[in-house]
Amino acid sequence: MAAPSLDDVRLALARRPALHLPEPQPRRAAVSVVLRDRPRGPEILFIRRAERAGDLWSGHVAFPGGRVEPGEGLEEAAVRETREEVGLDLRAAAARLGALDEIQAIGRGRAVGLSIQPWVWALHTDPGPFQLSEEVAEVRWVGLGDLLDPARRAPFPYVHEGRELVLPSLDVDGLVIWGLTYRMLEIFAAVLGEELPGHPSRGL
């Protein structure tokens, strides 16, 4: 089955407004889901966070983004953080397609009083080489079709407060996507009328 096209993504986001959490969180963050068009279908930009002490998501696969600063809007934060983390100026190189649902951030199995809103962008020009900050270990482009491929299903073992859990995840050529990033992709897939493959979660 062919992956949704960039036009499919654009139309789907235009039809469905993003949902917000019923209770505002003390802190807010925003991330960028950046797509580029390729002959086999859209590809999505992922980062792998650097290993850092004290970072709840140290080493995780994620989207570029971060916390909203005082006086800043969610979209502004997504643009600023993307520029700071990978050197990509979305205002110059991409078009905003829309936003996904706001979600509650979970760190090590616990709510951390932080909401995250993903913003979806489509590149319309080659941004050139990435310039990674010290917070980013690497960047990878992954095809949307690969993310929707059931063969990428990879149960993720996780120990939480002494309990052994199996969480849903995807493994795309060694890039393991789970946790918050998996949840955002799950919402994105639902907007497109697709289902993200994964293993049923237990616990959490």
Side-chain angles (χ1 to χ4, degrees):
M1 184 180 297
S5 69
L6 205 52
D7 283 340
D8 292 332
V9 173
R10 184 179 290 108
L11 290 172
L13 286 167
R15 287 195 299 261
R16 184 186 180 281
L19 302 177
H20 293 274
L21 294 173
E23 301 260 341
Q25 298 297 299
R27 294 168 295 160
R28 299 186 302 164
V31 300
S32 295
V33 181
V34 182
L35 292 87
R36 67 178 182 181
D37 209 6
R38 285 296 183 266
R40 292 182 60 246
E43 293 180 340
I44 301 177
L45 178 68
F46 292 89
I47 66 171
R48 185 170 61 81
R49 297 176 63 87
E51 301 279 350
R52 302 177 71 195
D55 182 355
L56 289 174
W57 302 286
S58 174
H60 287 200
V61 174
F63 298 115
R67 293 183 185 177
V68 177
E69 294 184 347
E72 188 176 47
L74 287 162
E75 183 182 342
E76 291 174 285
V79 170
R80 174 184 54 76
E81 285 281 348
T82 301
R83 184 175 60 249
E84 292 175 0
E85 290 188 341
V86 299
L88 172 57
D89 183 354
L90 293 169
R91 297 292 189 206
R96 176 174 55 78
L97 302 186
L100 299 177
D101 296 349
E102 182 183 41
I103 65 169
Q104 168 74 59
I106 303 293
R108 295 176 186 165
R110 296 182 183 276
V112 295
L114 175 72
S115 64
I116 306 174
Q117 174 118 59
W119 293 80
V120 184
W121 305 81
L123 289 179
H124 53 61
T125 187
D126 183 355
F130 292 109
Q131 300 173 12
L132 307 187
S133 75
E134 62 182 14
E135 298 178 7
V136 179
E138 66 170 318
V139 296
R140 288 266 298 274
W141 289 101
V142 178
L144 180 55
D146 285 323
L147 297 169
L148 298 173
D149 183 354
R152 303 298 184 174
R153 181 183 295 115
F156 187 86
Y158 184 78
V159 177
H160 175 64
E161 297 182 347
R163 291 187 300 159
E164 293 186 3
L165 309 173
V166 179
L167 304 181
S169 73
L170 304 172
D171 187 337
V172 183
D173 301 328
L175 193 76
V176 179
I177 301 167
W178 67 288
L180 289 172
T181 306
Y182 180 93
R183 177 62 185 137
M184 294 179 211
L185 281 176
E186 195 171 40
I187 293 168
F188 187 34
V191 169
L192 298 174
E194 303 281 350
E195 185 176 350
L196 199 66
H199 189 283
S201 60
R202 296 199 295 271
L204 294 188

